[in-house]
């Protein structure tokens, strides 16, 4: 019997403890495991870097929710990305990446991989002809897609890009952090791998840092699994357990994130202090119809461009009360950020530079009227 998403989010890989009957599996806070004679591993467990029951339960759950052959849990989103890249890149290979992605992803490739001999090119991922030309211009090992993108909320056609990437012999990777597996299923649309910062919507409570890779086939799974074991940037048992706890409410949380964000986007669109709202749930968004096809809803992230420029954007970001000024996103509480000097400071001077009039909002699950009141009062201060 095939169960729905939220049922699987609660039950997949989460069998009750056979010893005590505990509904919630315990945290296996152990670095090593006793062997039944030399090489006699109990349940396959030897040493916690190679495997841990708590991490295994998380990985089983993530693979189920993304529809993958296997999932791997890491200490951070960037360590997850790095492990995947180590599995498919080598000196002399090339990666083609969208021109609006998380600044840390671009920094990882541009400042770590490029000096080791990898070529990086960026392209407008919503322009399929431009992507096709980019991957055909030179041999391409990886086509890196982020949709919705960070922070301009661009929407890319995953199925079409998967066809383009595969025709060029590339591994197609989708950063699914903004959407989460609840809203979007990249592997079902043809992607080879999905990456997440599980710190964000998957964890959902701003109390854990982690990352994940989910892959579609066993061959890539073997490569990523070896890097996870051989390099060792694994999630610790407590972090894995907290992430599982967060996943159990992912569906209900993201429904609320999405409805709150849509209400705020509608309220901000047309406000005299706002030049533009970047949110795919708005019919005015150029990717709205595509997002409606490949996503369940439109998510909790939006960005706004202030009419009066950088000074107004900074003042707005520093004037909200419920929206707290902080890095990160995807938690139950609302956050606000100034990308050009926070999350995307590392891409200043590149094609990915974010306009200094942009403010990014991670809309939480508070009462929507309170959130609307907060952004309204903050905008009213711009004329004070």
């Amino acid at each position: 019997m095939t169960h729905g998403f939220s049922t699987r989010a609660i039950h997949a890989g989460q069998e009750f403890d056979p010893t005590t009957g505990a509904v919630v599996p315990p945290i296996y806070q152990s670095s090593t495991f006793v062997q039944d004679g030399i090489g006699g591993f109990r349940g396959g467990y030897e040493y916690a870097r190679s495997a841990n029951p708590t991490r295994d339960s998380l990985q089983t759950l993530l693979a189920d929710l993304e529809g993958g052959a296997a999932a791997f849990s890491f200490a951070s989103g960037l360590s997850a990305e790095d492990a995947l890249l180590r599995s498919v890149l080598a000196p002399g290979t090339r990666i083609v990446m969208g021109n609006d992605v998380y600044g840390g992803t671009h920094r990882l490739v541009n400042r770590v991989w490029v000096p080791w001999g990898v070529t990086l090119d960026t392209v407008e991922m919503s322009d399929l002809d431009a992507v096709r030309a980019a991957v055909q211009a030179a041999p391409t090992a990886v086509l890196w897609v982020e949709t919705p993108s960070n922070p301009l909320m661009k929407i890319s056609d995953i199925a079409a890009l998967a066809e383009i990437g595969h025709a060029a012999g590339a591994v197609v990777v989708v950063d699914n952090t903004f959407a989460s597996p609840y809203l979007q299923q990249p592997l079902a649309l043809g992607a080879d791998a999905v990456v997440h910062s599980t710190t964000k919507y998957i964890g959902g409570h701003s109390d854990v840092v982690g990352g994940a890779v989910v892959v579609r086939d066993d061959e890539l799974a073997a490569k990523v699994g070896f890097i996870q074991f051989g390099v060792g940037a694994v999630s610790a048992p407590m972090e894995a357990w907290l992430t599982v706890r967060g996943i159990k409410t992912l569906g209900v949380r993201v429904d609320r994130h999405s409805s709150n964000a849509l209400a705020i986007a509608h309220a901000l669109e047309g406000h005299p202090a706002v030049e533009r709202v970047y949110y795919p749930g708005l019919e005015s968004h150029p990717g709205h119809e595509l997002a409606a096809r490949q996503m369940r809803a439109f998510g909790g992230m939006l960005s706004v461009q202030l009419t009066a420029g950088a000074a107004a954007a900074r003042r707005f970001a520093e004037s909200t009360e419920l929206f707290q000024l902080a890095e990160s996103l995807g938690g139950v509480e609302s956050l606000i950020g100034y990308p050009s000097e926070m999350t995307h400071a590392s891409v200043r001077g590149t094609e990915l530079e974010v306009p200094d009039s942009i403010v990014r909002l991670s809309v939480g699950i508070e009462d929507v009227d309170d959130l609307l009141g907060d952004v309204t009062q903050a905008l009213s201060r711009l004329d004070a």
Side-chain angles (χ1 to χ4, degrees), residues 267-293:
L268 293 177
E269 190 174 40
H271 191 287
V274 176
E275 180 176 337
R276 182 176 177 184
V277 179
Y278 299 85
Y279 185 67
L282 295 174
E283 293 184 4
S284 58
H285 190 285
H288 173 72
E289 292 184 4
L290 174 58
R293 291 199 305 270

Side-chain angles (χ1 to χ4, degrees), residues 24 109 165 190 193 272 343 356:
V24 177
V109 177
T343 55
D356 58 11

Side-chain angles (χ1 to χ4, degrees), residues 39-56:
F41 304 156
R42 295 191 181 191
Y45 296 106
E46 170 196 15
Y47 183 65
R49 172 171 45 77
S50 60
N52 174 280
T54 309
R55 189 168 77 247
D56 282 351

Side-chain angles (χ1 to χ4, degrees), residues 10-95:
I10 293 169
H11 293 285
Q14 305 305 307
E15 293 78 12
F16 66 84
D17 178 55
T19 302
T20 65
V23 171
V24 177
I27 303 171
Y28 288 87
Q29 194 69 45
S30 181
S31 62
T32 192
F33 301 87
V34 170
Q35 300 181 20
D36 296 324
I38 297 172
F41 304 156
R42 295 191 181 191
Y45 296 106
E46 170 196 15
Y47 183 65
R49 172 171 45 77
S50 60
N52 174 280
T54 309
R55 189 168 77 247
D56 282 351
S57 72
L58 169 59
Q59 293 176 158
T60 298
L61 178 55
L62 288 169
D64 184 281
L65 296 183
E66 284 284 10
F72 304 91
S73 178
F74 293 87
S76 70
L78 285 171
S79 65
E81 293 182 2
D82 187 60
L84 178 59
L85 292 174
R86 287 175 187 268
S87 303
V88 294
L89 293 179
T93 57
R94 177 172 178 255
I95 179 170

Side-chain angles (χ1 to χ4, degrees), residues 23-226:
V23 171
V24 177
I27 303 171
Y28 288 87
Q29 194 69 45
S30 181
S31 62
T32 192
F33 301 87
V34 170
Q35 300 181 20
D36 296 324
I38 297 172
F41 304 156
R42 295 191 181 191
Y45 296 106
E46 170 196 15
Y47 183 65
R49 172 171 45 77
S50 60
N52 174 280
T54 309
R55 189 168 77 247
D56 282 351
S57 72
L58 169 59
Q59 293 176 158
T60 298
L61 178 55
L62 288 169
D64 184 281
L65 296 183
E66 284 284 10
F72 304 91
S73 178
F74 293 87
S76 70
L78 285 171
S79 65
E81 293 182 2
D82 187 60
L84 178 59
L85 292 174
R86 287 175 187 268
S87 303
V88 294
L89 293 179
T93 57
R94 177 172 178 255
I95 179 170
V96 173
M97 177 179 289
N99 61 6
D100 184 52
V101 302
Y102 168 50
T105 300
H106 183 270
R107 181 183 61 222
L108 170 64
V109 177
N110 192 46
R111 298 185 62 181
V112 175
W113 283 95
V114 168
W116 285 357
V118 168
T119 299
L120 167 65
D121 288 306
T122 58
V123 66
E124 174 55 58
M125 281 288 168
S126 63
D127 184 341
L128 297 179
D129 289 336
V131 176
R132 189 176 291 107
V135 299
Q136 292 175 351
T140 303
V142 175
L143 179 62
W144 190 280
V145 183
E146 185 178 294
T147 182
S149 68
N150 183 2
L152 299 182
M153 304 301 296
K154 295 179 180 180
I155 302 298
S156 300
D157 188 331
I158 297 171
L161 290 169
E163 289 186 10
I164 292 170
H166 292 153
V171 173
V172 179
V173 179
V174 176
D175 185 336
N176 205 27
T177 297
F178 268 24
S180 84
Y182 178 66
L183 295 184
Q184 185 168 266
Q185 299 279 307
L187 299 182
L189 294 171
D192 299 297
V194 168
V195 294
H196 284 281
S197 170
T198 54
T199 307
K200 313 304 193 296
Y201 285 104
I202 287 178
H205 293 80
S206 301
D207 57 7
V208 61
V209 174
V213 175
V214 188
V215 298
R216 191 172 59 171
D217 66 68
D218 293 334
E219 182 180 356
L220 185 54
K223 294 177 181 178
V224 177
F226 176 77

Side-chain angles (χ1 to χ4, degrees), residues 256-266 279 299-302 363-364 368:
R256 181 64 169 263
H257 285 296
S258 298
S259 63
N260 280 359
L262 182 60
I264 290 173
H266 279 304
Y279 185 67
M301 298 300 301
L302 62 92
V363 182
V368 67

